[in-house]
Amino acid sequence: MTTVKDAVFAVLRHHGMTTIFCNPGSTEVPLLTGLPDDLRFVLALHEGSVVGMATGWAIGRESPALVILHTTAGLGNAVGAIATARENRVPLVILVGQQDRRHLALEPFLAGRLGGLAGDYPVRVDQPVRAQDVPGAVARAFHEAGTSRGPALVVVPMDDWRAPFDGEVMAAPKRLLRPANVADADLAPLVELLTGARAPAIVAGAGVRDGWDALVALAERMGCPVYQESFGGRAGFPQDHPQYGQVLPADRERLRERLEPHDVVLVVGAPVFRQYPYAPGPLVPPGTVVALVTDDPAVAHRSPADLAYLASPAAVCARLTALLPPADRGGAGPRAREEEPAAGQPMRPAREEEPADGQPMRPAREEEPVDGQPMRPARVLRELARRLPRDAVLIEETPSSRPDLHRFVPARTSLGFLSAAMGGLGFAVPAAVGLRMALPGRPVVAVVGDGSALYGLHALWSAAHYRVGALFLVLANGRYAVMDRLADKQGGKAPWPPFTEVDMGGLARSLGCPSLRVDSYDALTAALDDVMPTLATRESPLLLDVAVGVDPDFQP
């Protein structure tokens, strides 16, 4: 007899979801016991890490990842990570265990009120009416996750897995195609706008994804600067390209100043425009026309653009490059081209430029070591950049050092900068584990503050157990530096203490992950020189517990 469990396994195989990220509970035991050999089970010690690792896996594989959560407690623990996956537009299929269907009316122990627990962050929540509807619901969740690029949930009572599934109709297509062609006639208004622009600019966002090369070709055709969206979850344009114009500021006044020279701004794969501190006034200078290309309906519908396309950024950029005449702007770009270093070679010296996310300008200077003084995060990141392989995947979660990371560590591939677009902590450590599992031959580095790392530290056990050779570079200052500075700006005393007692290296070792304490520049360069050549092939994770001070120039 074919069971619902058998039918769901067939769906998982058909769609390539044969790796299961999970922290199991009793309502999932009927599904998980006796797994076939071709289904791989990956354990994480907390549901936030479960979803975070699956998020990294899905980014690396460019395909939905499978998550299993345990009723109310499991889904509740994972909501923050689910929100991050939604904001980062990462497809996940999440099965949530539920108590036995036959006595749910009595609300037995471990029965969950699960339909709305994750709020509006899932792209779909399905609670099948019959056990026999579960396989079709899982298949539909796969399609919904891929189409809407977010987490899709299916709630499954524990007794459903043993129910018969003989001769049932599955309410989902076996194969779903999403044609991405864009008609030239539809692009005519945008072609006319860009052709007539005096000084256009492009804003690239995380939604560019597979349109990276097409956007580069378009930018070179237009001969205009390309800015990175603020608070983006992924690089949208090579940040070592001569036309790269840095990250857009995150407040309206600076945003208007940055866009003042441009009469037309083409936003590709990003919202118009994502900011943090509220400030009155328009987003762009008077007379500046904004056009948008995105495949995210929510972004298209809420963005105050003059012209918006709900379409594939890759397809639109490719056709625009063919349709637009080459620009004659005298090589217009923010800076002259510099010689590109080979993979694994030191990066060029840092430039003098305005840092990202609305931070105040300060020159890129050599920060010489001072005896007895803590290391500066900027110097640490510069040493990392000098050794980072070109194809490295870099995951960032260090809010007080993010401007320096943007200055010194340019993303040279689409995965060269990843971050939690939601802004909540706990993304980087588990995401790095999942990414390295998905891309086992690619260097993976997580640059994380110690406060951020504590939210996802459980994932280090999974990294050690499954021999995931990622590098975790923890900038440890023993405090929430961003919060401290925000309190200072308000003119009041913060009630929260530092947490200098926390031993990041000791915590890592307790989870089976090797660690190394780094408290001097000599120790830093020695550690990086030792580990960097091994990043593509190593099978053991490593945490570098790097003691740093708080940059006195930093302003959130």
Side-chain angles (χ1 to χ4, degrees), residues 336-426:
R337 182 180 294 274
E338 301 174 62
E339 184 176 353
E340 176 60 44
Q345 296 302 309
M347 287 295 299
R348 60 183 180 272
R351 314 176 288 277
E352 186 167 325
E353 61 193 19
E354 183 171 351
D357 292 348
Q359 300 301 322
M361 183 182 290
R362 61 180 191 270
R365 58 188 181 276
E366 285 293 340
E367 294 145 352
E368 294 299 329
V370 178
D371 291 340
Q373 296 295 316
M375 288 188 289
R376 296 285 292 273
R379 178 67 181 270
V380 174
L381 294 171
R382 177 177 295 179
E383 297 298 337
L384 172 67
R386 286 170 171 164
R387 297 161 175 82
L388 196 65
R390 179 182 181 82
D391 64 339
V393 178
L394 188 141
I395 303 100
E396 174 273 331
E397 196 168 49
T398 175
S400 62
S401 300
R402 185 178 297 127
D404 285 324
L405 187 142
H406 282 310
R407 289 168 64 209
F408 296 127
V409 192
R412 293 177 282 175
T413 70
S414 180
L415 297 179
F417 174 81
L418 296 169
S419 187
M422 173 58 62
L425 303 182

Side-chain angles (χ1 to χ4, degrees), residues 236-518:
F237 188 80
Q239 296 173 358
D240 58 346
H241 192 282
Q243 289 171 229
Y244 178 57
Q246 304 305 309
V247 179
L248 284 181
D251 63 278
R252 294 190 186 190
E253 182 178 0
R254 287 178 179 271
L255 179 63
R256 291 193 296 270
E257 291 175 359
R258 185 69 64 86
L259 298 180
E260 178 67 37
H262 307 294
D263 59 336
V264 175
V265 176
L266 174 62
V267 181
V268 182
V272 179
F273 286 101
R274 200 156 185 237
Q275 307 242 283
Y276 174 60
Y278 171 76
L283 290 167
V284 299
T288 297
V289 177
V290 177
L292 169 66
V293 178
T294 179
D295 62 359
D296 185 338
V299 168
H301 296 157
R302 74 171 183 261
S303 291
D306 298 280
L307 176 63
Y309 285 85
L310 183 57
S312 160
V316 171
C317 289
R319 287 310 301 154
L320 285 177
T321 302
L323 295 170
L324 288 173
D328 182 14
R329 308 184 195 282
R335 54 185 170 85
R337 182 180 294 274
E338 301 174 62
E339 184 176 353
E340 176 60 44
Q345 296 302 309
M347 287 295 299
R348 60 183 180 272
R351 314 176 288 277
E352 186 167 325
E353 61 193 19
E354 183 171 351
D357 292 348
Q359 300 301 322
M361 183 182 290
R362 61 180 191 270
R365 58 188 181 276
E366 285 293 340
E367 294 145 352
E368 294 299 329
V370 178
D371 291 340
Q373 296 295 316
M375 288 188 289
R376 296 285 292 273
R379 178 67 181 270
V380 174
L381 294 171
R382 177 177 295 179
E383 297 298 337
L384 172 67
R386 286 170 171 164
R387 297 161 175 82
L388 196 65
R390 179 182 181 82
D391 64 339
V393 178
L394 188 141
I395 303 100
E396 174 273 331
E397 196 168 49
T398 175
S400 62
S401 300
R402 185 178 297 127
D404 285 324
L405 187 142
H406 282 310
R407 289 168 64 209
F408 296 127
V409 192
R412 293 177 282 175
T413 70
S414 180
L415 297 179
F417 174 81
L418 296 169
S419 187
M422 173 58 62
L425 303 182
F427 167 76
V429 174
V433 178
L435 270 156
R436 175 66 179 200
M437 294 178 79
L439 303 170
R442 193 157 175 186
V444 174
V445 179
V447 179
V448 195
D450 51 351
S452 302
L454 288 170
Y455 282 77
L457 207 65
H458 318 82
L460 293 179
W461 179 88
S462 300
H465 182 81
Y466 294 105
R467 301 187 63 78
V468 176
L471 174 65
F472 304 91
L473 195 155
V474 178
L475 301 176
N477 56 31
R479 64 194 69 245
Y480 297 122
V482 171
M483 299 299 297
D484 292 345
R485 289 299 169 86
L486 288 172
D488 290 343
K489 290 176 71 172
Q490 294 293 323
K493 178 178 173 54
W496 50 85
F499 46 88
T500 52
E501 305 89 347
V502 173
D503 179 358
M504 295 301 303
L507 290 172
R509 290 190 297 275
S510 75
L511 292 165
C513 176
S515 69
L516 181 64
R517 176 70 171 177
V518 176

